[in-house]
Amino acid sequence: MSRQGWNGAAIVLAVAATLGAGSAMAQQAAPAPAAVAPMVERLSSAQMAEIDRYVLAEMGRQRAPGLAVGVYLKGQPVYLKGYGLADVEWAAPMGPDTRMQTGSLGKQFVATAILKLVEEGKVALDAPVGRYFPEAPEGWAGVTVAHLLSHTSGIGSYDNPDLIGPGGPFDIRRDYTEDELATAIAALPNEFEVGTQWSYNNTNYVLLGILIHRVTGQAYGDYLRDAFFAPLGMSATRVISDTDVIPRRASGYEMRAGRLRNQAWVSPTFNSTADGTIYTTVEDMGRWENALVEGRVLSAASLEKMWTVFPLADGTPNPGNYGFGWKIDAMGRTRRIIHSGAWQGFTSNMTRYPDRGVTVVVFANLDGTANPALVARVVAGLVDPVVMPRQFPALPDDPARAERIRAFVAKAQDGGDLKDDFVEGSPYEYSPELAQGLQSALPPGWRDAPMTLVQHTPRPDGGGRFGYRVGPEGNTRLLTISLAPSGRVQGFGVAADPDSR
């Protein structure tokens, strides 16, 4: 399990338990016209109907029990709606007031808290982390608070499978004190020299949460409540708790081998760290967005720091385009500020187009196949055509290769042993769960429908990565597959089709 997810590509409808499982390909918007269209002021009834149509259709394609969608123009909520079910077992409907888990989308609250403490003179961005962590090892020399915020610290990752399993130093079914977590993190080997690379790493934000506690005397969730949530009227927003009675709390689900399952249990410790353990609603996110737009949480200078790509030690922008708690990039020629999240049966995305005054928040109570980032991109485009993602055109293809790929995927869906189809040394192992996952992930009728090549990334060695749109019109998926020069498979996966409308 991981709270990863800073952009849409990290949240995919992946079913291949193999090398290089597929991910959603990056979308580009059509270039903005020379004369930029005026900003959208309100939604028409036709736009609302089109959003409803698209969201319901995409929710079905992604097999999500429920979605909550918020659209905000210039900081004002103009469309808040729940779709589907907040709880499958009780058939409880999803609403705009349903509490959903943020996953890593909640990192923005932590980054905002740190910058507020900086404004108050209680924390310094360029301060060595050893100032706040006496247990810091020599390997953390040179690591500053800014490096933690921007994922350029090089500190080791705590949440890899070898460490979070039973008996591991971060066993997610055990409880730890904050001091125990800090000590265990300090024992991890560094992944790279500070400031020389970028790597999205939840450890950075776990440490920031501990830092907030040590500086303020309040647990990070309590500090967020008193500094932001309560003053802004965000009464539904709080840290996760399995024991508290929490009205309108959604249930989280995972898709495993094509079957919907309840979220896995983790200890209270790992539902209270600062790398993404918040409940909120699209209603409350509207209050937060309004406060950001109106500059009521931070100064303009601090917001600019948060929304500026942090440089590496050599002065170049980090390759993740990451600021403090946000990714900053562009859709076509329009600046975009974005973050996603995934944790315990939930996925999320917040996409902001500040120059257009458009923000969209999407929560799903499904991890493993849901892609809220895709939904947010398209909904934003339905609101403002300037930011509508451009659809991928069909590319020239080798019909014989396409049919070999179709036969391979059909064999996998039928439960065949794929050992001889994969490259030598592949981690592939036969499992009926792969077939079960493909049976539910691929749309009915895909075998008889066209396979359209929409992406091809060739490699110098003669191999390459191919992306095919598969399925009947109106119900397509994106199949990605990597082939070695020999034509044997290196990895494959199925994702939501970013061109679905």
Side-chain angles (χ1 to χ4, degrees):
M1 299 177 67
S2 173
R3 270 179 276 269
Q4 69 181 26
W6 51 272
N7 65 11
I11 316 268
V12 297
L13 193 151
V15 296
T18 58
L19 178 68
S23 64
M25 294 184 291
Q27 281 278 328
Q28 292 289 328
V36 177
M39 291 172 63
V40 179
E41 298 290 340
R42 63 183 62 86
L43 294 187
S44 67
S45 57
Q47 283 176 303
M48 293 181 186
E50 187 63 10
I51 290 171
D52 274 352
R53 182 205 62 77
Y54 166 73
V55 172
L56 287 168
E58 190 59 36
M59 185 173 71
R61 287 187 286 262
Q62 296 186 19
R63 298 170 293 156
L67 292 175
V69 176
V71 178
Y72 319 90
L73 297 179
K74 298 180 181 178
Q76 298 298 321
V78 296
Y79 194 77
L80 304 174
K81 190 166 183 178
Y83 300 85
L85 298 177
D87 187 289
V88 173
E89 292 167 327
W90 284 94
M94 184 75 72
D97 59 346
T98 301
R99 283 169 159 155
M100 307 280 273
Q101 292 186 22
T102 64
S104 287
L105 185 150
K107 285 183 169 68
Q108 63 186 278
F109 301 129
V110 179
T112 304
I114 293 293
L115 288 170
K116 179 177 175 62
L117 293 172
V118 170
E119 290 182 348
E120 295 171 349
K122 297 175 181 177
V123 172
L125 289 176
D126 60 357
V129 294
R131 178 181 300 178
Y132 311 101
F133 294 92
E135 58 271 78
E138 291 184 6
W140 291 10
V143 176
T144 67
V145 173
H147 290 125
L148 297 179
L149 285 164
S150 59
H151 298 295
T152 56
S153 70
I155 291 174
S157 176
Y158 84 87
D159 58 351
N160 73 62
D162 293 334
L163 300 179
I164 63 175
F170 302 96
D171 183 343
I172 59 174
R173 296 183 184 274
R174 283 187 52 205
D175 275 319
Y176 301 83
T177 67
E178 284 188 344
D179 288 347
E180 288 172 337
L181 282 178
T183 298
I185 290 171
L188 294 172
N190 284 9
E191 295 181 352
F192 53 84
E193 184 180 350
V194 57
T196 62
Q197 299 180 43
W198 178 89
S199 179
Y200 188 84
N201 184 350
N202 287 313
T203 303
N204 293 306
Y205 277 72
V206 172
L207 291 173
L208 288 169
I210 298 172
L211 186 157
I212 290 171
H213 195 173
R214 291 181 176 182
V215 168
T216 68
Q218 289 182 287
Y220 103 95
D222 294 339
Y223 179 80
L224 293 180
R225 178 196 62 211
D226 293 347
F228 304 125
F229 302 154
L232 296 176
M234 298 172 64
S235 58
T237 305
R238 53 160 294 166
V239 169
I240 295 169
S241 170
D242 287 337
T243 57
D244 289 354
V245 176
I246 301 176
R248 303 290 296 161
R249 169 173 31 194
S251 296
Y253 301 95
E254 301 170 352
M255 192 70 69
R256 295 291 179 263
R259 296 178 58 193
L260 195 68
R261 299 178 182 273
N262 284 302
Q263 64 185 26
W265 183 87
V266 301
S267 73
T269 291
F270 293 98
N271 265 336
S272 59
T273 51
D275 49 344
T277 59
I278 298 291
Y279 287 130
T280 193
T281 68
V282 292
E283 290 181 341
D284 269 7
M285 289 304 294
R287 298 178 177 98
W288 178 252
E289 169 67 7
N290 181 262
L292 290 174
V293 170
E294 294 185 354
R296 289 188 286 121
V297 292
L298 291 173
S299 68
S302 292
L303 289 173
E304 184 64 22
K305 286 180 182 178
M306 187 162 67
W307 293 331
T308 298
V309 176
F310 188 76
L312 298 178
D314 63 4
T316 61
N318 73 71
N321 292 322
Y322 206 86
F324 296 161
W326 293 90
K327 178 188 177 185
I328 303 95
D329 62 7
M331 177 61 74
R333 297 175 183 171
T334 304
R335 186 179 187 225
R336 180 173 66 172
I337 301 171
I338 185 172
H339 212 292
S340 293
W343 179 240
Q344 265 209 308
F346 292 87
T347 45
S348 62
N349 177 268
M350 185 171 184
T351 296
R352 308 181 72 249
Y353 297 98
D355 298 335
R356 302 295 300 169
V358 176
T359 294
V360 178
V361 173
V362 179
F363 294 114
N365 57 341
L366 180 66
D367 191 3
T369 63
N371 190 344
L374 168 59
V375 176
R377 285 199 301 270
V378 175
V379 168
L382 294 173
V383 171
D384 185 351
V386 168
V387 297
M388 177 61 83
R390 184 177 60 198
Q391 294 183 304
F392 289 109
L395 300 177
D397 194 15
D398 176 351
R401 179 183 60 220
E403 287 309 308
R404 289 196 302 272
I405 292 172
R406 186 194 300 270
F408 165 79
V409 177
K411 179 180 177 181
Q413 190 182 44
D414 290 339
D417 189 338
L418 308 175
K419 183 177 180 179
D420 292 339
D421 298 282
F422 274 88
V423 293
E424 187 175 351
S426 164
Y428 166 79
E429 293 182 2
Y430 174 78
S431 169
E433 290 188 354
L434 175 59
Q436 293 163 4
L438 286 169
Q439 286 160 14
S440 63
L442 288 163
W446 76 270
R447 299 188 191 206
D448 299 320
M451 281 182 54
T452 304
L453 183 68
V454 293
Q455 193 254 1
H456 177 210
T457 306
R459 295 197 305 265
D461 64 5
R465 181 180 176 88
F466 303 85
Y468 283 91
R469 184 180 301 123
V470 300
E473 186 175 356
N475 192 20
T476 54
R477 305 291 185 273
L478 180 68
L479 166 68
T480 56
I481 187 166
S482 293
L483 300 179
S486 63
R488 296 176 74 177
V489 176
Q490 295 173 304
F492 77 107
V494 178
D497 181 1
D499 286 349
S500 296
R501 294 289 186 270

